[in-house]
Amino acid sequence: MENHLQTKDWGLGLNGHLIIAGPCSAETPEQIEKVCLDMKKENMIPHLFRAGIWKPRTRPGSFEGIGEEGLTWMEIVRNHLNIPITTEVGNAAHVELALKHKVDVLWIGARTTVNPFAVQEIADALKGVDIPVMVKNPMNPDLQLWLGALERLQTVGINKLAAIHRGFSDSYDKRFRNKPNWSMPIHLKREWKGMEVINDPSHIVGNRAGILETAQRAINFGLDGLMIETHHDPDNAWSDAKQQVTPAALKQILSKIDFRETAGSENPGERLNDLRTAVDHLDDQLLDLLQERFSMIDQIGAYKRENHLTVFQSDRWKYVMESRTQKGVKKNLSEKFMKELLYCIHEESVKRQEKQLREADPVKR
Ligand code: PEP
Ligand code: MN
């Protein structure tokens, strides 16, 4: 999949990483104004101002968002900061109200992305509208659901699309509110050429202290922007108090991040080019070795057939796994990587040999 306009073409005057900041929820007009004034004072003006108007809360009883009235306060943001605004929509009614109040960019939250009915309802409400939409990852690490939501939007003609990595629900890992899965945005980028992924460290870490580290990791992995919840008085925020930062703290965080460039294939530096050429040669050698290894596997397969042996031999498998993993670890390769690699190679070997048996001795019907 490909073909959509990247964030630099959304008309936000963007050139580089997209920075989205603003409170978890719009609470009062005074709160919105205070956040704007503090951003101005710190000269910490994001590209996009976020504020939740409808809050999908896990349990009822907590603050569920101020509703339509909050959208009228977005004028305050436009007046003070003169920047576009973004909010979360969870159904067609939200879309209608957000469009009525001229919200510039929409996002779909994690609890909505899991539900194709809801995403389709939002997509249908957006048919024929030219507005950028960002899609947060679903609560569970399911790449297909994430891609599916983006596709539903593309199908109705939304061509300004981006994804947001906000981590995945994992009740066992207490280090994170929503555990990051860095291979997921990378898979998404592989599956959908040119798709940008913004990182939301606030909802990943769930507390102020860890935001910098997670944001830096996101940039290291090549993600394209940051969404960080920002409030003038975080401790007294009506939602997500623990994870919001002041505009001054946000400025500090951003100044500490080493924003890396994604070296485009058009003009990588000379040293990078040399290193990549070396890797290309090594990959060729790896492929030659794999070809040779599988030709041995085929010969072993022929032997097993002639001698009426089963394809899978558990003692041999155990020996291969253990000895290679040990060797790999000594060569500074992780145990997890070694196991995954060996499983993958072994599975292919077993399949080839089984296919050999099937083709040489077809079942007589
Ligand atoms: C939010 O951005 O405030 C929010 C509710 O996020 P998520 O959908 O990632 O939980
Ligand atoms: Mn929040």
Side-chain angles (χ1 to χ4, degrees):
M1 277 165 286
E2 50 188 309
N3 282 343
H4 67 286
L5 294 178
Q6 296 209 318
T7 50
K8 65 176 166 29
D9 301 311
W10 288 5
L12 307 174
L14 184 72
N15 164 24
H17 291 83
L18 174 65
I19 304 296
I20 308 169
C24 176
S25 306
E27 299 163 5
T28 62
E30 292 75 30
Q31 170 236 16
I32 295 293
E33 178 158 48
K34 268 302 264 166
V35 179
C36 289
L37 290 176
D38 284 1
M39 283 180 170
K40 218 167 168 174
K41 191 172 92 198
E42 297 295 334
N43 194 22
M44 177 49 257
I45 319 285
H47 301 107
L48 255 179
F49 187 94
R50 64 151 282 154
I53 297 293
W54 301 281
K55 302 303 298 176
R57 308 311 299 271
T58 306
R59 310 267 309 260
S62 21
F63 177 57
E64 298 205 302
I66 205 77
E68 182 177 3
E69 186 190 0
L71 291 170
T72 62
W73 310 335
M74 294 302 136
E75 271 314 302
I76 304 171
V77 180
R78 294 194 178 96
N79 292 340
H80 282 298
L81 303 177
N82 191 26
I83 55 170
I85 54 163
T86 181
T87 200
E88 172 176 351
V89 288
N91 58 35
H94 295 165
V95 169
E96 210 172 294
L97 290 169
L99 295 178
K100 177 176 143 197
H101 291 277
K102 309 225 167 347
V103 171
D104 304 276
V105 175
L106 304 177
W107 90 76
I108 294 181
R111 291 163 192 77
T112 307
T113 310
V114 286
N115 180 354
F117 288 139
V119 175
Q120 191 59 50
E121 178 184 317
I122 293 170
D124 290 340
L126 284 170
K127 205 174 172 133
V129 183
D130 178 22
I131 189 167
V133 185
M134 305 182 290
V135 179
K136 287 202 175 193
N137 63 251
M139 300 293 286
N140 54 325
D142 184 336
L143 181 62
Q144 301 306 319
L145 271 175
W146 203 1
L147 282 168
L150 289 158
E151 272 170 339
R152 285 175 199 278
L153 292 161
Q154 193 183 44
T155 304
V156 298
I158 299 289
N159 70 346
K160 294 171 183 156
L161 289 167
I164 301 178
H165 174 43
R166 50 77 80 194
F168 301 89
S169 197
D170 179 342
S171 49
Y172 296 104
D173 196 333
K174 303 288 176 223
R175 289 172 304 162
F176 299 100
R177 182 175 175 202
N178 294 289
K179 194 175 177 173
N181 179 336
W182 301 108
S183 39
M184 199 64 78
I186 293 164
H187 279 313
L188 182 73
K189 280 169 170 285
R190 271 196 212 122
E191 292 281 319
W192 192 318
K193 199 165 167 274
M195 179 55 68
E196 286 159 288
V197 186
I198 314 298
N199 191 245
D200 173 349
S202 308
H203 290 89
I204 289 179
V205 216
N207 66 66
R208 261 158 246 163
I211 289 180
L212 172 61
E213 190 188 332
T214 296
Q216 181 67 65
R217 291 194 76 190
I219 300 301
N220 293 349
F221 278 113
L223 300 207
D224 305 276
L226 297 168
M227 180 192 253
I228 298 182
E229 287 188 337
T230 313
H231 194 288
H232 69 286
D233 182 11
D235 285 337
N236 292 306
W238 295 6
S239 58
D240 288 352
K242 285 201 202 111
Q243 71 194 32
Q244 303 207 53
V245 297
T246 60
L250 176 63
K251 190 174 181 180
Q252 274 276 322
I253 290 171
L254 294 181
S255 72
K256 286 186 184 150
I257 292 177
D258 179 4
F259 281 97
R260 293 163 186 278
E261 299 296 322
T262 55
S265 48
E266 314 86 52
N267 189 22
E270 205 176 318
R271 166 119 181 98
L272 185 55
N273 244 339
D274 290 350
L275 291 169
R276 281 181 172 164
T277 309
V279 169
D280 291 347
H281 288 310
L282 287 168
D283 281 349
D284 285 343
Q285 289 178 32
L286 268 177
L287 289 175
D288 287 345
L289 277 175
L290 277 174
Q291 184 188 32
E292 208 176 316
R293 191 184 195 280
F294 281 115
S295 117
M296 295 297 156
I297 293 295
D298 293 345
Q299 292 179 43
I300 295 175
Y303 179 89
K304 284 178 182 166
R305 188 179 79 80
E306 279 155 25
N307 292 279
H308 275 271
L309 296 172
T310 58
V311 161
F312 181 66
Q313 301 285 332
S314 66
D315 287 351
R316 169 72 184 162
W317 164 235
K318 199 163 171 274
Y319 169 72
V320 169
M321 281 299 280
E322 284 172 4
S323 61
R324 274 45 157 193
T325 302
Q326 267 179 20
K327 281 187 191 168
V329 168
K330 283 201 188 112
K331 291 176 190 287
N332 207 17
L333 301 169
S334 81
E335 190 176 330
K336 181 168 177 284
F337 169 72
M338 284 309 300
K339 293 216 159 110
E340 282 173 5
L341 180 70
L342 292 165
Y343 269 118
C344 185
I345 292 176
H346 185 255
E347 195 179 313
E348 181 63 13
S349 306
V350 168
K351 277 189 191 151
R352 274 174 89 107
Q353 292 184 346
E354 198 273 335
K355 186 162 175 263
Q356 246 177 316
L357 287 190
R358 252 186 300 129
E359 286 174 357
D361 308 312
V363 181
K364 294 179 191 71
R365 288 173 195 276

